[in-house]
Amino acid sequence: MLRAAEVGENSIVLRKLCAPVLQEVEPVGRWFEAYVSRSRKNVSLSNSEPDERSEENNEDKKESSSSSSDSEDERYLLTLDPKEWKDQDHYKIIGLKNRRYRATEDDIKRAYRKMVLKHHPDKSHSRKSKMHLDAVQEYFTCITKAGEILMNRGKRRAYDSIDPTFDNFVPPVNPNSKINFYQVFGPVFETNSRWSNKLPVPGLGDEDSTFEDVDEFYKFWYDFDSWREFSYLDEEEKEKGESRDERRWMEKQNRAMRQKRKKEETTRLRTLVDNCYACDPRLKKFREEEKERKVAERKAKEEAARLAAEEQEKKKQEALEAERLLREKEEQEAKEKAQAAKKEKDKLKNALKKEKKIIRTTCKEHNYFSKDEKDLVEKMELTEKLLETLSLDRLQDLKESFKQNNKDNISNLFLEEISKLKEQLVLEDEKAVKAVQERKISKETGGDTSSSSLWSEDEHELLIKAVKLFPAGTNSRWEVIAEYINHHSKGNAVKTSKHVIKKVKELQKFDTTQMEKANKNAFAKFDKTLAAPSASTPSTSNPTERYDNGTSSAATQTTPAAERSWKTEEQKLLENALRKYPSSTPERWDKIAEEVPGRTKKECMRRYKDLVEMVKAKKSVAAKSNKS
């Protein structure tokens, strides 16, 4: 039924309807067969299984797909230009646009052979009547070029690297988005995994992935090793260069562009991984779990520290209590010992007092065995001194002797004891006088012993040599000289700066002949070592031992005593020459002597040794001062 006309609409009759006709239709063909099969299985067309539908329509699909594919490939081939072969889809040309990089070498060979047989100019007689022979030749050239590239492993790899169907899309970072992270980033990483040199490539995983799996995934992709290269896009064809220089320039330009594209590809992959890392919800979960774990560990450590502190405090209190008890016990024992000692002391004191009283009374009864008034006073004083010096046992023996003897024997015993006391007092007085004299002598000499016992002959020589080595103006001169003497001396007495100053003052009082003699003796051993160096123990560390035997007789007869003093200019020239000619230089000292006018080889070597000794002494003094 037709709907009723609306307001303002008009019905228009174009023609009359024809009368219905009854027509018989015979059900045949594959569609009817499929309908019968579905009816028997009691399934509709929408609910039928894919496998069944594919089985039913397999032949039809093949025919339709092949026909549609042939027509599509035919149209694509007609649009090709052999000169623009770099911009063409070679997989589509040979009919493998769906397989692409997954196609095997056999697939490529079969597809290429099929296209050659189908589109070869000599085989396409029907086409020659419809199009010009040149057009046929052009797209056949494109088929040949596609086969040449895809059947060559290196060229195919280069073409696969810039596959025009590959999607370089990188999902952006959008933390507020509610998109499914795994559905967005998973396919992208799966697509980009085709470029990896390392296999297998770990997948993105899901929300149940462990921390180790996620960490391994990001480690792999942050260190991604891609085989993708861009030589296929080289703008300059090196084979077309007319000369070697031009071909080199082309290669240089191509290499620069490859590196630029490779860098852009690396940046793209890194951006992809960074965006994935920023959006990954698992990392937030792992960070929260790690934070909770650290908080739990910290609380456990704090609890353990608190328990340990309580245990330590408890042990400390116990130790303090034990120490207090021990101290109280020791104090009590010391107090008891002190009381016992006091009692013993009081007992001894009372016993001494008693014995002294008895002896004093006995002596008083015999008037101290004196002859006159003067003798009485002296013996009274000696008696008191005797009683103070005698021990308790001696006082008891003396008391018993007084009791058992008569007056004459007691007098002899008393006088004998008095004479012994006098002798002891005389000895004590002599010791006191001697000690006073020794203190007076020590005060006058500044606490030092005599110079003859403190300084040996070798030390005299070392002192004179050190005074020349370290002239006035040297920092901490006397300490340096003392350290030099202590280092080279074989004696046991240690010299201080006071000893050195005092000895130098004594030497300054000598006459000229004595000073010259001491000067010569100071450098006698040094000259002997220079004149006859030991051949059995060569050493390159000491410059004087590298001195050769070709020194002139005049130079060898020169002693440090007669050596001229070094001026500032000569010292600078010597230092510059030492830096200029290191120890490995052949005939080093001959060359150094040439750099210092007016100085011989021997003088330069002697001066170098003096400088070395000076530096060693200063370092030793500085080290001792730092320690102190």
Side-chain angles (χ1 to χ4, degrees), residues 311-324:
E311 184 68 20
Q312 187 175 2
E313 184 67 21
K314 183 178 179 181
K315 290 182 179 179
K316 185 178 179 180
Q317 293 297 334
E318 292 177 354
L320 290 175
E321 183 66 19
E323 184 179 356
R324 185 184 64 79

Side-chain angles (χ1 to χ4, degrees), residues 388-429:
E388 293 297 330
T389 57
L390 293 179
S391 62
L392 178 61
D393 295 337
R394 189 75 183 96
L395 289 173
Q396 291 176 350
D397 293 340
L398 187 60
K399 182 190 71 172
E400 295 296 329
S401 300
F402 282 179
K403 287 181 179 181
Q404 295 176 2
N405 295 310
N406 53 22
K407 182 179 180 181
D408 294 336
N409 292 334
I410 293 173
S411 176
N412 293 333
L413 289 172
F414 178 74
L415 293 177
E416 184 179 354
E417 293 293 335
I418 292 298
S419 62
K420 290 181 181 180
L421 179 62
K422 285 182 178 181
E423 291 178 0
Q424 185 176 356
L425 292 174
V426 170
L427 292 175
E428 290 178 356
D429 292 339

Side-chain angles (χ1 to χ4, degrees), residues 255-430:
R255 191 183 309 113
M257 290 304 298
R258 291 176 202 165
Q259 291 177 355
K260 181 180 178 181
R261 293 189 179 101
K262 185 70 174 178
K263 187 175 181 180
E264 293 174 353
E265 172 67 7
T266 303
T267 304
R268 185 187 70 84
L269 289 173
R270 177 55 65 90
T271 305
L272 172 63
V273 181
D274 289 340
N275 293 354
C276 179
Y277 190 89
C279 299
D280 198 338
R282 298 170 298 182
L283 299 178
K284 183 179 179 180
K285 182 183 71 173
F286 292 150
R287 283 192 288 267
E288 291 177 354
E289 291 176 355
E290 181 67 15
K291 185 177 179 180
E292 293 175 357
R293 185 184 63 81
K294 288 183 178 180
V295 170
E297 288 182 356
R298 185 174 70 252
K299 289 182 179 179
K301 287 182 180 179
E302 291 175 355
E303 183 66 19
R306 186 182 64 80
L307 295 176
E310 292 179 356
E311 184 68 20
Q312 187 175 2
E313 184 67 21
K314 183 178 179 181
K315 290 182 179 179
K316 185 178 179 180
Q317 293 297 334
E318 292 177 354
L320 290 175
E321 183 66 19
E323 184 179 356
R324 185 184 64 79
L325 295 175
L326 181 62
R327 185 169 60 251
E328 290 178 356
K329 183 178 179 181
E330 290 177 352
E331 290 176 355
Q332 184 66 24
E333 291 178 355
K335 187 176 180 180
E336 293 176 357
K337 287 182 181 179
Q339 291 177 354
K342 184 178 180 182
K343 291 180 181 179
E344 187 68 23
K345 185 177 180 181
D346 292 341
K347 183 177 179 182
L348 179 62
K349 185 177 180 181
N350 293 332
L352 286 171
K353 187 175 181 181
K354 181 179 179 181
E355 299 299 332
K356 288 178 182 179
K357 184 177 180 181
I358 294 172
I359 295 174
R360 191 181 292 113
T361 302
T362 305
C363 293
K364 189 182 294 185
E365 290 176 354
H366 295 85
N367 201 20
Y368 294 96
F369 306 102
S370 58
K371 299 177 182 179
D372 50 22
E373 188 70 22
K374 185 177 180 180
D375 188 33
L376 176 63
V377 175
E378 180 182 3
K379 286 186 178 179
M380 287 177 66
E381 293 178 356
L382 292 173
T383 301
E384 292 301 324
K385 289 182 179 181
L386 179 64
L387 293 176
E388 293 297 330
T389 57
L390 293 179
S391 62
L392 178 61
D393 295 337
R394 189 75 183 96
L395 289 173
Q396 291 176 350
D397 293 340
L398 187 60
K399 182 190 71 172
E400 295 296 329
S401 300
F402 282 179
K403 287 181 179 181
Q404 295 176 2
N405 295 310
N406 53 22
K407 182 179 180 181
D408 294 336
N409 292 334
I410 293 173
S411 176
N412 293 333
L413 289 172
F414 178 74
L415 293 177
E416 184 179 354
E417 293 293 335
I418 292 298
S419 62
K420 290 181 181 180
L421 179 62
K422 285 182 178 181
E423 291 178 0
Q424 185 176 356
L425 292 174
V426 170
L427 292 175
E428 290 178 356
D429 292 339
E430 290 178 354

Side-chain angles (χ1 to χ4, degrees), residues 116-128 136:
V116 168
L117 292 174
K118 183 176 180 181
H119 297 285
H120 195 278
D122 296 339
K123 301 290 185 179
S124 305
H125 299 289
S126 61
R127 296 177 182 272
K128 291 181 182 179
V136 176

